[in-house]
């Protein structure tokens, strides 16, 4: 069995979920873990020196639980797929042969800054969009917990820049994806890259 973990990281509102949903449909035996599912409850989110609840930092997330979920997939991808309603097929056009390919996409805004997770990624993608575009996209989204005034400039964007700098200093090889490209262009870039990587590994 070939097991392959793909990170789809990037800035808030960059198009991570849209890209992930397109990839899931076209990749064989593909499961997904969304980092947003691991946010702690609002009352567990501390208020920082900037005066805002610290949503955009690693401590806002239950990263142990997320890592354990990914470990569960690594231990038994077929079982993980079944429990998540993903149909497992034996052959894959990508592997060009008998070998069963299992793919896990891990999607989130803070994937490459948590040491216990970094060793799992076979491939890391990072979607970026410029400040102004990000701010305007974010302002049109409806969140369960609405952004308080000033959150974007006071917390979200500064944290993004801080984490991005940390990530760029890490030993991970990261492929950048332009979030201003069309959804189709982003998908094609990543899908073709994954295909090439899978074929080269056989």
């Amino acid at each position: 069995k070939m097991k392959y973990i793909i990170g789809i990281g990037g800035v808030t509102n960059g198009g991570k979920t849209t890209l992930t949903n397109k990839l899931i449909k076209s990749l064989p035996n593909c499961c997904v873990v969304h980092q947003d599912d691991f946010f702690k409850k609002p009352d567990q989110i501390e208020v920082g020196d900037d005066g805002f609840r610290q949503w955009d930092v690693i401590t806002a997330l239950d990263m142990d639980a997320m890592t354990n979920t990914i470990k569960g997939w690594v231990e038994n991808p077929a079982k993980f797929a079944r429990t998540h309603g993903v149909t497992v097929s034996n052959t894959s056009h990508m592997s060009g042969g008998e070998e069963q390919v299992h793919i896990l996409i891990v999607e989130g805004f803070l994937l490459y800054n948590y040491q216990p997770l970094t060793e799992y990624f076979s491939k890391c993608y990072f979607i970026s969009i410029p400040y102004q575009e990000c701010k305007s996209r974010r302002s049109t989204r409806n969140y369960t917990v609405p952004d308080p005034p000033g959150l974007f400039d006071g917390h979200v964007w500064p944290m993004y820049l801080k984490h991005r700098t940390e990530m760029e200093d890490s030993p991970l090889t990261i492929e950048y994806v332009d979030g201003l490209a069309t959804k189709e262009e982003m998908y094609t870039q990543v899908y073709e890259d994954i295909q090439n990587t899978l074929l080269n590994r056989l």
Side-chain angles (χ1 to χ4, degrees):
K1 266 187 202 162
M2 199 161 92
K3 289 184 278 198
Y4 201 70
I5 299 185
I6 294 161
I8 303 284
V11 67
T12 175
N13 295 280
K16 298 182 295 295
T17 312
T18 308
L19 175 59
T20 297
N21 291 340
K22 277 175 86 79
L23 289 167
I24 293 166
K25 292 192 183 91
S26 52
L27 293 169
N29 303 331
C30 186
C31 295
V32 65
V33 170
H34 295 285
Q35 188 173 36
D36 283 4
D37 293 343
F38 296 91
F39 270 114
K40 294 174 183 170
K41 294 187 175 68
D43 60 359
Q44 295 178 295
I45 307 287
E46 61 210 46
V47 175
D49 298 337
D50 56 21
F52 294 108
R53 280 196 190 270
Q54 302 292 290
W55 286 104
D56 285 63
V57 295
I58 208 89
T59 49
L61 299 146
D62 187 343
M63 292 303 292
D64 281 352
M66 184 171 168
T67 306
N68 286 335
T69 303
I70 291 165
K71 279 184 187 156
W73 179 87
V74 172
E75 281 157 23
N76 194 335
K79 182 182 173 196
F80 189 100
R82 281 194 300 273
T83 56
H84 288 79
V86 174
T87 313
V88 174
S89 64
N90 286 321
T91 51
S92 153
H93 63 285
M94 279 199 166
S95 64
E98 300 311 300
E99 197 171 16
Q100 194 179 39
V101 178
H102 282 274
I103 295 174
L104 180 68
I105 294 179
V106 181
E107 179 263 321
F109 74 104
L110 204 47
L111 295 183
Y112 309 131
N113 300 66
Y114 183 70
Q115 200 52 49
L117 213 54
T118 50
E119 65 191 78
Y120 287 104
F121 293 113
S122 321
K123 201 86 189 170
C124 302
Y125 298 96
F126 189 88
I127 304 173
S128 59
I129 52 176
Y131 164 83
Q132 207 52 59
E133 175 70 14
C134 187
K135 190 172 182 171
S136 74
R137 287 187 192 183
R138 174 106 181 186
S139 65
T140 59
R141 281 276 285 275
N142 291 316
Y143 289 100
T144 327
V145 181
D147 282 355
L151 181 77
F152 185 82
D153 287 323
H155 178 64
V156 175
W157 191 256
M159 287 299 126
Y160 162 69
L161 294 177
K162 175 178 176 281
H163 293 128
R164 184 169 168 147
T165 306
E166 280 173 17
M167 174 187 89
E168 285 166 352
D169 293 339
S170 82
L172 286 172
T173 304
I174 290 162
E175 306 263 346
Y176 289 90
V177 179
D178 179 5
L180 294 178
T182 66
K183 292 182 174 70
E184 206 49 53
E185 286 165 339
M186 289 165 68
Y187 165 75
T188 303
Q189 177 191 339
V190 175
Y191 179 73
E192 287 179 356
D193 194 55
I194 293 168
Q195 263 196 318
N196 290 337
T197 311
L198 286 175
L199 293 169
N200 289 338
R201 285 182 59 156
L202 297 159

